Amino acid sequence: MKLLSVKSAAAVAMTSALLLSGCANKAVVSYGDAQAVETTDINFGSTDLQKVASQMTDSLLASPVVGTMTTNTRPIVFVERIKNKTSEHIDTESITDSISTQLLRSGKFRFVDMTRVEAVREQLNFQNVDPLVDPNTAIAFGQQVGAQYMLYGNLSSIVKSNADKADVYYKFTMRLMDLKSGLVEWADETEIRKTREKSTFGW
């Protein structure tokens, strides 16, 4: 009986230890500030995305040429996906989406979404060909409005590093082209530089 009590006590102790260990290793999840400055590493991050998108949008909207262009009308713009010319895997579609959204919110532009052209074509084909659709409600072909301007840009970088220091320079450029004349009506660029120095305790 005494031996059984000792075994029972040992089992309880082991179970308690396992439970405490599990609690100690349990991750705590909480919400963070999406606008907070990200300083995890020197790679292109969320803070950089927000910075370049806001600066380019503000510059475009403040341009005198664009001001004249949008005085009595809302030009239709096609936004080409930003080209990633860096050595990093960067989701440039997020930059494109952020700029498009901010410009649309300004109320000065309208957009055509070229990434959805194939889906639209399939839907129009369905409406005009499939006998299940009432012809009186089908949208006829050839009624979509074409873009007047194209907004496009590049993200490039220069990386230099040695045993004690790493330096990354990013340059983001954008241009607005008149599709009828081929003239570039607006252009701007913004730069970001990040450095990482080796501390006493290593990287």
Side-chain angles (χ1 to χ4, degrees):
M1 180 70 78
K2 189 172 184 181
L3 180 61
L4 184 60
S5 298
V6 171
K7 287 183 178 179
S8 298
V12 170
M14 184 177 292
T15 302
S16 299
L18 289 171
L19 288 173
L20 289 173
S21 175
C23 292
N25 294 328
K26 187 176 181 180
V28 178
V29 179
S30 61
Y31 283 102
D33 182 2
Q35 303 299 321
V37 176
E38 179 190 33
T39 56
T40 306
D41 53 41
I42 62 173
N43 295 324
F44 195 89
S46 62
T47 300
D48 306 312
L49 188 156
Q50 293 164 358
K51 179 178 183 292
V52 299
S54 294
Q55 287 186 350
M56 287 297 102
T57 304
D58 292 343
S59 174
L60 178 62
L61 294 176
S63 168
V65 174
V66 173
T68 301
M69 177 190 306
T70 58
T71 299
N72 298 312
T73 185
R74 295 174 62 202
I76 302 170
V77 180
F78 154 52
V79 183
E80 184 183 47
R81 182 169 178 172
I82 304 301
K83 287 183 170 58
N84 179 15
K85 294 188 174 182
T86 73
S87 57
E88 299 177 43
H89 175 70
I90 298 174
D91 182 11
T92 55
E93 187 174 1
S94 293
I95 304 176
T96 306
D97 289 344
S98 183
I99 291 172
S100 301
T101 300
Q102 291 182 45
L103 289 176
L104 194 59
R105 283 177 179 170
S106 73
K108 294 181 178 296
F109 294 93
R110 292 177 292 169
F111 292 89
V112 290
D113 190 347
M114 296 304 294
T115 64
R116 297 293 177 265
V117 168
E118 192 56 39
V120 171
R121 183 179 288 114
E122 289 180 3
Q123 176 58 210
L124 290 179
N125 280 330
F126 169 73
Q127 291 188 23
N128 286 274
V129 176
D130 199 296
L132 294 175
V133 179
D134 182 352
N136 295 320
T137 63
I139 298 174
F141 289 107
Q143 297 192 62
Q144 292 196 27
V145 179
Q148 299 164 279
Y149 298 89
M150 179 172 72
L151 187 64
Y152 60 101
N154 300 312
L155 177 63
S156 57
S157 67
I158 299 175
V159 181
K160 292 185 177 181
S161 63
N162 55 36
D164 300 317
K165 188 176 181 179
D167 180 276
V168 183
Y169 166 80
Y170 295 100
K171 185 170 78 169
F172 181 61
T173 61
M174 287 207 81
R175 292 179 173 86
L176 181 70
M177 177 190 287
D178 185 325
L179 291 177
K180 183 177 181 179
S181 66
L183 296 174
V184 175
E185 298 289 357
W186 168 88
D188 202 354
E189 62 182 32
T190 185
E191 303 166 306
I192 296 173
R193 167 162 263 121
K194 290 184 173 184
T195 59
R196 180 183 63 185
E197 296 187 24
K198 189 174 183 180
S199 67
T200 307
F201 304 101
W203 291 109

